[in-house]
Amino acid sequence: MSNNAWLIAALPLGAFALIALGARRSPALSAWLTILAIGLGGALSLQVLREIAAGARIEQSMEWLPLGHGLGLTVGFQVDPLTAIMLVVVTSVSLLVQIYSLGYMHGDNGYSRYYAAMSLFTFSMLGLVLANSLLTMYIFWELVGLCSYLLIGHWHERPEASAAAKKAFIVTRLGDFGFLLGILFLYWHAGTLEFRGLEEAAAAGRIPAAALTVGMLLVFCGAVGKSAQFPLHVWLPDAMEGPTPVSALIHAATMVVAGVYLMARTFPLLEHSATAMMVVAVVGGFTAIFAASMGIVANDIKRVLAYSTVSQLGYMIMAIGLGAMSAGMFHLFNHAFFKALLFLCAGSLIHLMDTNDLSAMGGLRRQRPITFIATTIAALSLAGIFPLSGFWSKDEILAAAASTNPLLFAAALATVFLTATYMFRLIFLAFLGNPRGQTHDHPEPLSMTIPLLVLIVPSVASGLLGTALFGNPFGSFLEGRAVTAEVNLPVAGISTAVALAGILLAWVLYGDGRVEASARLAARFQPVHTLLVNRYYMDHLYNGFVARIVLGFGWLSNRIDLSLIDAFVNGIGSTTISAATSMRRMQSGQLQAYAWAFFAGTVALAVVAALPLLMGTR
Amino acid sequence: MPVDFLVAGGFYTFGLASIIGAIGLIVARNVFHSALFLVVTLASVAAVFVILGADFLAAVQVLVYVGAVMILILFGLMLTPVNLEVPHLASAGQAVSGVLVAGAVFIVTTATLVSVQWPKVVGIPSDAPTTEQIGESLFTTYALPFEIASVLLLVAMIGALVIAREG
Amino acid sequence: MPPAFPPLYPITLQHGLILGAALFSIGLAGALTKRNSIVILMAIEVMLNGVNVTFVAFARQLEPAVLTGQVFALFIITVAAAEAAVGLALIIAIYHLRHSVQIDEANELQG
Amino acid sequence: MPSSCFLPAFICDPFAYVGGGLHGALGSNLAEPLPTLILSVAAVAMLTTIIAVVVMSQVWTERRVVAMMQGRIGPNRVGPSGILQPVADAVKLLMKEDIVPFGADRAIFLIAPLIVLVPSLAVWSLVPWGPGLGVADIDVGILLVLGLGAFTTLGILMAGWASSNKYALLGGMRVAAQLISYEIPLVLSAMVPVLWAGTMSLQGIVEAQRGIWNIAILPVGPVAFLLFLTAGIAEVNRSPFDLAEAESEIIAGFHTEYSGMRFALFFLAEYANSFAVGAIASVLFLGGWLGPILPPYVWMFVKAYGVFLILIWVRSTLPRLRYDQLMQFAWKVALPISLATLVITAALVSLTQGSVA
């Protein structure tokens, strides 16, 4: 099966093609095609996982663009433990989200379009995961970006949605530009783009250290954009304009982790550059705390989760930067499940209330008990409470930070505190107290409830895969060798305590759904609150300052273009015209005259060429 | 030897016929007659092809030139009936200079052909059927030109349609 | 090597080449001197045929095993057919415009 | 000598019998190319005679059969059952005055019938009458057959133009457009057996049908046969595609001005062509001279004549098409179908024979 792992990606593409070719006329058919394709893909992924666990490794590539001199571009796919894990994560979360969407998107005008885009997205994401070279990956990387654009802008009739879609696309493109430069840079130095070749080149020291650092930092730019790291994180909160299942799948569990995956994939290269590692770790750590702080004040339930996502992605990036790649991937693995669950829960509430506003919710535990329980479990997991899944991976990351960089450790701990606080603020405001808004009195469709129930399982238990208790199967699998995880008891204790303190603070402030607490706090900490609500004025910065620079630069280029380049081009044109005016007398329009001149010239040339020969013979 | 003699006889007969056809094409005052002289040339050239061992090409020559191109030309003649007979030659100066240049081309070319030492024949010219060989080289060595030629035909067909309809 | 015509018999490469040259030149003379565009088109066909004869002669005498010359002659026939189609379409279009097919009357690019 | 023929050699293959004897007799006295040359001339002369006889029988058959289908008797005065009627007609035509209309392009007017007739006779010389039996078996046979058909068009155009008669001119132009249009499906459908056999030689195509006749190759065989037959009828200007000589519209089309012997030549060519279509169709699709017990040339004749009977049947059954219908059918029906047939055949060949060699 591993030999044909590309099938996993091809299935959703097939679904997409079928929908685009005609199945779109029937929404139900579109949906079921998508679900079928992904379900099959999921089953195949599990099979691949088994084979990989048994020791199989696959890499196939074919020549795409031979450039001579032994250079050339290839496309292909590879399956190794990292890929296998990602395949399972992507297909399983996708499957649940698609099933969830059956109910959530029911009756939407763009139902088929939604499923078509979802299929295309799944294909792109799986392709990205299967890619065996930076180039192949980059192709799917951009496809993923495109799908994200399509899905964020799904309700394109809403101006905010289309603006958010554009923003996501453009901001990530900024990072992608760096990524592309990095690809070219690495190709320049290594002569190949296949991961294996790059790793060998780096290991053999064929890439100069400085070049490796620059190249990896440029590649990291791509990850910064796609995984919404500071300073390109601004698009992700806005991306919540898309349908909630999209947020759950793309902006929590899959696409945004592409950046993390990229860094994990190129980790063997990254390892060789301490500087790049440092930059990656600092950016990740800073993003973690930076985003968490904004989560505290957000009132839009999905934005809270979005900030949380950014913050957790920061965690993962930081882990990779600290050299704990498998811990980062482990966190990615766990996070995918509980964050998807959180988003689906949020979707369930939004479906019920028709609003994202936390202050309009309240007391929903009675109407949606399952959602309440699921949210609480996922939040506890996210906060890192023993023994839920988040605890294990977060603990590994914290332990790595504690042993290498105290400053980052402090930041991470603060993030743990903030995470616990804003998550439980969300829960208290949404579920406790008395209802504050109108609810639709319709029962939740089964297709929405079941994915929640299913996702609770990995949210609780997926962490066990990485515990020392069971011999850390996850880490061993990923590294391809037996790796023992040690529970760093002091760190675990401290982080649990900090998380509990965060929950306590949330209870003190917002327990029983005291929404008015927000206003009181806002008044009390006016400057900080303003700063946070305005997201550190990052968007203003981009709109005002950066945009002005860009526009100024554009103005300058325009002037240069007009006065220098155009003048030159026009000069050539006018010279040609004046030359032509003097020559046009020869152009009588008589075709035969031209032919005559042509042949007369040919004969003359032949005679001239033959003259020496004739002279010589006579 | 007698077979060789037959080949020579055929070559001179049909070569001469083709040249007579070509001259007739130019000299004829009537465009329709010109066209018929062209048929003589084309058919004779096909016969020359057979003598030179290119039987497939000869069949194609007949099929395409006589079957398609000539019919097309005659059709064109019938659709543009004005001035079918009257002015056939350009101004005297142009005619004379044109013939002079053509003659010069012939003399220069022939002089070259005669004086060049051509390489010895590689292998014996065979009269074996050529169809299969041509087909094979068309689809292997010359696959790209073949495809380009097919595209060219398509473009020409569409172009001819468009021009004829809009004109 | 002094220029010398090949003997009349037996037929060699040069016979074919000279026949090709003769056809080409006669066609050229026609193309340069006639006024009727259809006749010019036909003269050009004669030129192409001259080239084809040359190719076939080469194919037989120089590379009997490969037949490159015949393949090229085939391509020339293709091109000639395409040319005839487009050329006649143009002539008919011009005729519709001017009621004449005299080539020296069609000397403006803008109808 | 085919194994299926159990009769004495001079019946099974009289031509080879006689020809071989003659060749042996001549060869003892003359240098090599001459016996072959003399025999070839003899064969052509014999073929011409055969054609004349066959055409006469065709004319008689057609008139009788059409009459039968229309509930008439048909010619029944000259000879038993009117069997000598064609002879009488021929004599009548030959004795008529050979008129060249005033204002006609004399030379072309006189040549045109020959340009029509000669290629149709040449087609006959390519037809294989048995294994190794035929005036000429050349490597690109089918291509040459189709190419020779083009001369017919040319001759008709010449006739139409040279008559300086507007009906003749119209008829000629109609023929030209019709033949150009139908030549494409004709060639394409003829390529189906060529692809199947992997050769363009008519003998080779017949040999390739030893196992199964091409018409029986499903699903393309019957379709290609019908297409070939249809296009063939159009190529020989027979009803329902006889617009070139539609009496009700343009009198007699291109041969309006022809009379006497020259008219007879057109007439002869038309029937010779009809029979040639039958013969070529038999070669391409009906297994040519293949058949049990009877000698090959008999089988060939029977099959070709059978196809000709189909032409008669079609003629007396179907009304004449309108010109736009004719063109529409050629370009919008026959052409796409023949292309599809060709593609499917190529696929079949590559599937069943390994590769499209």
Side-chain angles (χ1 to χ4, degrees):
Chain A
M1 178 56 226
S2 300
N3 283 324
N4 296 315
W6 56 271
L7 262 178
I8 301 174
L11 280 166
L13 181 66
F16 168 73
L18 285 177
I19 295 173
L21 286 177
R24 63 170 183 270
R25 277 176 242 283
S26 154
L29 183 61
S30 307
W32 283 107
L33 270 174
T34 306
I35 290 171
L36 186 72
I38 293 173
L40 266 175
L44 295 178
S45 303
L46 285 175
Q47 175 64 19
V48 167
L49 185 71
R50 264 184 42 188
E51 286 172 22
I52 294 295
R57 297 288 183 277
I58 297 300
E59 176 165 4
Q60 292 182 5
S61 70
M62 61 178 197
E63 189 115 295
W64 180 32
L65 197 67
L67 298 175
H69 303 293
L71 293 177
L73 298 178
T74 58
V75 289
F77 73 93
Q78 67 176 23
V79 188
D80 63 0
L82 191 59
T83 305
I85 291 171
M86 289 299 291
L87 284 178
V88 172
V89 171
V90 171
T91 49
S92 58
V93 177
S94 290
L95 180 64
L96 291 171
V97 167
Q98 312 299 9
I99 293 173
Y100 182 87
S101 305
L102 279 179
Y104 191 86
M105 298 300 288
H106 189 77
D108 190 271
N109 280 336
Y111 198 75
S112 299
R113 179 161 52 88
Y114 170 82
Y115 271 104
M118 274 299 211
S119 283
L120 186 62
F121 166 76
T122 316
F123 156 68
S124 321
M125 188 68 204
L126 291 170
L128 190 156
V129 168
L130 284 165
N132 79 328
S133 73
L134 276 176
L135 182 75
T136 320
M137 191 166 184
Y138 184 75
I139 294 168
F140 287 107
W141 184 272
E142 293 295 352
L143 260 177
V144 162
L146 170 74
C147 297
S148 171
Y149 168 80
L150 293 175
L151 285 165
I152 296 171
H154 179 71
W155 290 313
H156 51 82
E157 60 280 359
R158 293 210 326 236
E160 306 90 31
S162 62
K166 273 187 282 185
K167 186 173 181 182
F169 197 67
I170 293 166
V171 172
T172 48
R173 281 294 311 161
L174 277 178
D176 294 350
F177 184 62
F179 187 15
L180 186 57
L181 283 181
I183 291 176
L184 295 175
F185 199 81
L186 287 175
Y187 188 70
W188 177 264
H189 284 287
T192 177
L193 285 175
E194 292 186 13
F195 293 123
R196 204 155 40 82
L198 284 172
E199 284 163 24
E200 282 163 8
R206 268 187 282 128
I207 308 178
L212 191 64
T213 306
V214 174
M216 282 314 295
L217 284 179
L218 284 170
V219 169
F220 180 57
C221 286
V224 167
K226 198 69 82 185
S227 285
Q229 297 298 294
F230 179 84
L232 296 181
H233 62 279
V234 291
W235 66 270
L236 185 54
D238 284 7
M240 296 302 129
E241 292 294 341
T244 306
V246 170
S247 309
L249 177 61
I250 300 191
H251 304 122
T254 54
M255 178 188 112
V256 289
V257 305
V260 181
Y261 173 74
L262 172 64
M263 297 321 288
R265 179 54 80 201
T266 54
F267 187 70
L269 278 79
L270 191 66
E271 270 184 322
H272 293 282
S273 167
T275 322
M277 296 270 282
M278 195 62 215
V279 172
V280 171
V282 168
V283 169
F286 181 73
T287 308
I289 185 166
F290 179 78
S293 67
M294 291 188 284
I296 295 275
V297 297
N299 268 332
D300 180 322
I301 184 170
K302 282 177 69 180
R303 277 179 185 264
V304 175
L305 295 176
Y307 286 123
S308 158
T309 305
V310 176
S311 165
Q312 296 302 311
L313 290 168
Y315 255 127
M316 302 170 203
I317 295 282
M318 180 179 83
I320 291 176
L322 290 174
M325 189 272 271
S326 100
M329 284 307 293
F330 189 37
H331 195 53
L332 185 160
F333 180 69
N334 293 332
H335 175 260
F337 296 114
F338 60 68
K339 186 51 67 67
L341 177 56
L342 279 173
F343 266 107
L344 296 188
C345 289
S348 154
L349 298 186
I350 293 165
H351 198 242
L352 181 70
M353 303 284 297
D354 263 348
T355 174
N356 294 3
D357 195 356
L358 274 175
S359 59
M361 298 179 178
L364 295 178
R365 68 180 181 284
R366 278 184 292 275
Q367 274 151 306
R368 289 286 183 267
I370 296 174
T371 310
F372 174 53
I373 294 166
T375 312
T376 311
I377 290 173
L380 285 171
S381 188
L382 173 59
I385 302 298
F386 180 88
L388 301 176
S389 63
F391 169 79
W392 302 104
S393 50
K394 195 172 274 190
D395 183 60
E396 271 190 51
I397 296 174
L398 286 171
S403 60
T404 48
N405 194 326
L407 202 64
L408 285 175
F409 179 61
L413 267 188
T415 310
V416 170
F417 179 74
L418 290 172
T419 307
T421 310
Y422 66 66
M423 277 319 297
F424 278 86
R425 170 174 175 267
L426 182 152
I427 291 176
F428 296 151
L429 289 181
F431 291 102
L432 301 187
N434 294 315
R436 291 186 293 274
Q438 285 291 318
T439 60
H440 301 292
D441 201 19
H442 53 68
E444 194 167 62
L446 213 55
S447 61
M448 286 172 65
T449 313
I450 289 173
L452 297 187
L453 292 173
V454 173
L455 272 172
I456 287 177
V457 177
S459 298
V460 172
S462 69
L464 299 177
L465 287 174
T467 60
L469 302 176
F470 300 108
N472 192 8
F474 187 91
S476 311
F477 176 66
L478 194 60
E479 304 269 327
R481 60 193 162 84
V483 179
T484 54
E486 289 164 20
V487 178
N488 190 331
L489 272 180
V491 171
I494 294 173
S495 78
T496 312
V498 167
L500 287 173
I503 297 173
L504 193 67
L505 178 67
W507 175 256
V508 169
L509 292 174
Y510 301 99
D512 267 344
R514 282 194 298 273
V515 74
E516 59 287 358
S518 292
R520 242 186 22 247
L521 285 170
R524 185 114 170 243
F525 300 101
Q526 178 72 37
V528 180
H529 183 260
T530 316
L531 187 65
L532 290 179
V533 163
N534 286 308
R535 312 175 205 164
Y536 295 96
Y537 293 99
M538 283 294 287
D539 288 283
H540 299 78
L541 190 75
Y542 279 120
N543 282 339
F545 187 58
V546 176
R548 199 156 295 162
I549 288 178
V550 171
L551 287 181
F553 184 69
W555 179 84
L556 189 67
S557 322
N558 188 29
R559 295 304 307 172
I560 291 176
D561 191 41
L562 281 181
S563 53
L564 237 78
I565 298 173
D566 268 19
F568 182 64
V569 174
N570 287 339
I572 291 177
S574 55
T575 313
T576 313
I577 289 176
S578 54
T581 331
S582 52
M583 305 273 279
R584 71 190 285 186
R585 260 171 258 281
M586 286 175 64
Q587 308 279 324
S588 60
Q590 291 282 353
L591 212 54
Q592 285 167 309
Y594 300 160
W596 187 89
F598 172 70
F599 279 101
T602 312
V603 169
L605 276 181
V607 169
V608 169
L611 265 184
L613 195 73
L614 297 177
M615 297 297 186
T617 51
R618 271 159 208 185
Chain B
M1 276 300 123
V3 175
D4 236 15
F5 190 77
L6 279 185
V7 164
F11 181 82
Y12 282 113
T13 313
F14 289 112
L16 214 62
S18 69
I19 289 177
I20 289 171
I23 292 175
L25 158 70
I26 302 179
V27 177
R29 296 185 151 260
N30 181 320
V31 186
F32 202 88
H33 290 178
S34 291
L36 296 180
F37 275 118
L38 179 57
V39 176
V40 172
T41 302
L42 296 175
S44 311
V45 167
V48 171
F49 283 171
V50 173
I51 290 163
L52 293 180
D55 51 353
F56 177 76
L57 208 58
V60 170
Q61 166 100 355
V62 171
L63 196 64
V64 173
Y65 267 119
V66 183
V69 174
M70 277 323 296
I71 305 293
L72 209 62
I73 287 177
L74 291 178
F75 220 72
L77 279 179
M78 291 175 171
L79 287 174
T80 55
V82 176
N83 295 336
L84 203 56
E85 304 225 7
V86 197
H88 65 291
L89 269 183
S91 61
Q94 190 186 329
V96 171
S97 62
V99 171
L100 279 182
V101 166
V105 168
F106 179 67
I107 290 168
V108 168
T109 327
T110 311
T112 318
L113 294 178
V114 168
S115 56
V116 167
Q117 179 89 52
W118 293 103
K120 281 287 167 208
V121 175
V122 187
I124 305 142
S126 73
D127 289 320
T130 55
T131 316
E132 196 172 336
Q133 218 174 348
I134 288 181
E136 250 184 56
S137 36
L138 269 186
F139 283 101
T140 54
T141 322
Y142 300 104
L144 186 65
F146 180 74
E147 292 298 328
I148 293 174
S150 63
V151 172
L152 175 81
L153 278 178
L154 181 68
V155 171
M157 188 172 81
I158 296 173
L161 273 177
V162 169
I163 293 170
R165 285 187 82 122
E166 286 185 350
Chain C
M1 146 128 206
F5 275 91
L8 281 176
Y9 171 85
I11 298 299
T12 62
L13 168 64
Q14 282 158 344
H15 292 84
L17 296 185
I18 291 172
L19 174 61
L23 284 177
F24 185 85
S25 305
I26 296 169
L28 178 62
L32 290 182
T33 55
K34 302 297 274 192
R35 288 184 70 201
N36 187 316
S37 46
I38 296 182
V39 178
I40 290 174
L41 201 64
M42 294 194 274
I44 291 173
E45 298 291 348
V46 171
M47 291 167 72
L48 289 173
N49 264 278
V51 176
N52 273 353
V53 169
T54 311
F55 267 124
V56 172
F58 273 131
R60 177 176 173 79
Q61 298 292 336
L62 293 187
E63 284 185 323
V66 190
L67 295 184
T68 308
Q70 292 196 21
V71 174
F72 271 85
L74 212 56
F75 285 133
I76 289 180
I77 291 179
T78 313
V79 173
E83 177 223 310
V86 176
L88 277 168
L90 277 174
I91 289 169
I92 289 174
I94 291 174
Y95 175 77
H96 277 299
L97 214 59
R98 303 174 173 277
H99 284 274
S100 159
V101 290
Q102 305 307 319
I103 193 152
D104 45 3
E105 288 174 20
N107 57 0
E108 296 159 15
L109 286 179
Q110 294 172 326
Chain D
M1 197 70 41
S3 60
S4 63
C5 182
F6 303 109
L7 301 168
F10 66 91
I11 296 183
C12 283
D13 202 347
F15 307 98
Y17 187 79
V18 177
L22 270 178
H23 196 274
L26 289 169
S28 56
N29 296 325
L30 294 166
E32 178 27 48
L34 283 179
T36 314
L37 219 59
I38 292 172
L39 273 183
S40 300
V41 172
V44 170
M46 197 167 84
L47 192 69
T48 317
T49 321
I50 293 177
I51 292 173
V53 174
V54 170
V55 166
M56 284 186 186
S57 80
Q58 276 178 287
V59 174
W60 180 79
T61 314
E62 174 149 27
R63 293 180 69 172
R64 293 289 291 193
V65 170
V66 169
M68 227 163 67
M69 286 179 173
Q70 293 169 344
R72 299 185 281 114
I73 301 173
N76 58 353
R77 299 282 152 166
V78 191
S81 304
I83 205 159
L84 292 179
Q85 182 71 41
V87 180
D89 287 346
V91 169
K92 177 196 77 176
L93 281 174
L94 290 179
M95 291 173 72
K96 274 191 170 179
E97 186 190 355
D98 184 10
I99 301 171
V100 179
F102 180 74
D105 193 326
R106 196 177 165 84
I108 299 180
F109 186 84
L110 297 181
I111 298 172
L114 290 175
I115 300 282
V116 174
L117 180 65
V118 172
S120 55
L121 302 188
V123 170
W124 275 64
S125 71
L126 293 168
V127 173
W129 290 95
L133 179 58
V135 178
D137 171 31
I138 63 173
D139 183 46
V140 289
I142 181 67
L143 217 52
L144 197 60
V145 167
L146 298 167
L148 286 171
F151 277 97
T152 313
T153 320
L154 193 70
I156 291 178
L157 258 180
M158 285 165 68
W161 187 83
S163 301
S164 83
N165 170 322
K166 63 184 166 193
Y167 297 117
L169 186 66
L170 275 175
M173 288 181 67
R174 281 185 175 195
V175 175
Q178 173 180 336
L179 294 202
I180 281 198
S181 306
Y182 277 91
E183 195 160 332
I184 300 166
L186 187 80
V187 172
L188 289 180
S189 56
M191 284 306 120
V192 168
V194 170
L195 265 184
W196 197 258
T199 173
M200 288 200 226
S201 143
L202 293 175
Q203 285 285 8
I205 290 173
V206 173
E207 291 287 348
Q209 295 178 77
R210 277 202 187 279
I212 178 174
W213 289 3
N214 283 333
I215 193 176
I217 296 169
L218 296 172
V220 287
V223 179
F225 176 69
L226 280 180
L227 270 176
F228 186 86
L229 208 59
T230 313
I233 295 175
E235 284 286 310
V236 296
N237 296 314
R238 282 182 64 93
S239 181
F241 300 113
D242 56 347
L243 286 120
E245 42 202 87
E247 303 88 345
S248 50
E249 300 160 29
I250 50 174
I251 313 186
F254 63 92
H255 55 63
T256 303
E257 296 289 354
Y258 281 87
S259 62
M261 192 189 75
R262 292 183 195 283
F263 175 76
L265 291 182
F266 276 125
F267 200 72
L268 184 64
E270 185 182 329
Y271 278 91
N273 273 333
S274 303
F275 190 83
V277 165
I280 299 296
S282 314
V283 167
L284 291 180
F285 295 98
L286 302 178
W289 42 259
L290 293 173
I293 304 166
L294 293 174
Y297 61 92
V298 176
W299 272 114
M300 185 66 214
F301 187 82
V302 166
K303 285 175 186 171
Y305 219 88
V307 176
F308 176 69
L309 285 175
I310 298 182
L311 297 196
I312 296 176
W313 181 26
V314 168
R315 175 192 162 171
S316 55
T317 312
L318 296 176
R320 180 181 296 140
L321 266 69
R322 258 199 346 259
Y323 201 72
D324 56 322
Q325 294 169 330
L326 177 93
M327 282 299 171
Q328 271 198 2
F329 181 77
W331 292 100
K332 295 186 182 169
V333 181
L335 179 59
I337 294 180
S338 54
L339 278 174
T341 320
L342 197 61
V343 170
I344 295 170
T345 311
L348 276 181
V349 168
S350 64
L351 283 179
T352 57
Q353 301 178 9
S355 70
V356 193

